[in-house]
Amino acid sequence: MLLHHILQGKSPEVISVTPDETMLEVLRLFRDNNIGFVIVRGAPGECLGTLSERDCCRAIAEYGTEAPLMRVADIMNLSVPTCSMHDVLPVAMAIMTERRTRHVLVMDGDTLAGIVSIGDVVKHRLEEAMRTEQDLHNYIAGVSYH
């Protein structure tokens, strides 16, 4: 399955924050939107980095009680994993595994097309497994077999 097919089934909205927001503001955004990852944007269309729940945990472990009031620019991840919207799902899975991340930015050239999360991977792999199981059942039962 191509990544652009996965993105077609998702909301086109990508939630982003500015580098000047605080970690506490981002954590509230995570809570309010039931998410754990945002893009840090500069100028329109510019991705400066990302911030995840894991990045926030690291900041708390390193800076303690100062962390929630720190600027996103000071704790964001600058090493952003990306792939192409024309890549197949296993490419995104490999990137997630190699980089030990739960999110990969999907690019259409230089433009952000969307985000694929580990949850998206599991959902699509489960659907694929269920289709395969149903196809095998139909084959064995002689149903819908040509």
Side-chain angles (χ1 to χ4, degrees):
M1 172 172 281
L2 296 176
L3 294 180
H4 76 87
H5 291 126
I6 292 173
L7 293 180
Q8 288 173 345
K10 294 181 65 168
S11 167
E13 180 185 14
V14 173
I15 297 176
S16 63
V17 298
T18 66
D20 291 325
E21 291 181 61
T22 66
M23 184 176 83
L24 185 57
E25 291 171 319
V26 174
L27 290 172
R28 288 183 177 137
L29 183 70
F30 286 172
R31 178 201 61 206
D32 294 345
N33 292 280
N34 196 29
I35 59 173
F37 180 85
V38 290
I39 303 296
V40 182
R41 293 199 189 255
E46 180 185 25
C47 177
L48 300 175
T50 62
L51 191 69
S52 69
E53 291 170 322
R54 185 178 290 174
D55 297 322
C56 294
C57 288
R58 284 187 183 121
I60 290 170
E62 186 170 341
Y63 302 108
T65 57
E66 296 174 24
L69 299 178
M70 293 179 72
R71 294 178 40 227
V72 167
D74 297 324
I75 58 174
M76 69 182 182
N77 182 1
L78 300 174
S79 176
V80 181
T82 64
C83 55
S84 165
M85 62 186 291
H86 302 291
D87 284 331
V88 292
L89 186 56
V91 170
M93 293 167 62
I95 291 169
M96 288 178 185
T97 301
E98 289 172 19
R99 301 284 300 273
R100 297 188 51 83
T101 184
R102 297 174 183 209
H103 301 86
V104 175
L105 304 188
V106 181
M107 306 300 290
D108 184 8
D110 292 333
T111 305
L112 177 65
I115 300 169
V116 171
S117 71
I118 192 71
D120 298 324
V121 170
V122 170
K123 176 185 176 198
H124 285 85
R125 283 300 191 188
L126 179 60
E127 289 171 357
E128 195 174 81
M130 290 171 64
R131 276 193 308 273
T132 300
E133 181 180 342
Q134 186 62 51
D135 289 347
L136 288 171
H137 175 70
N138 290 345
Y139 176 75
I140 292 167
V143 179
S144 301
Y145 181 67
H146 305 283

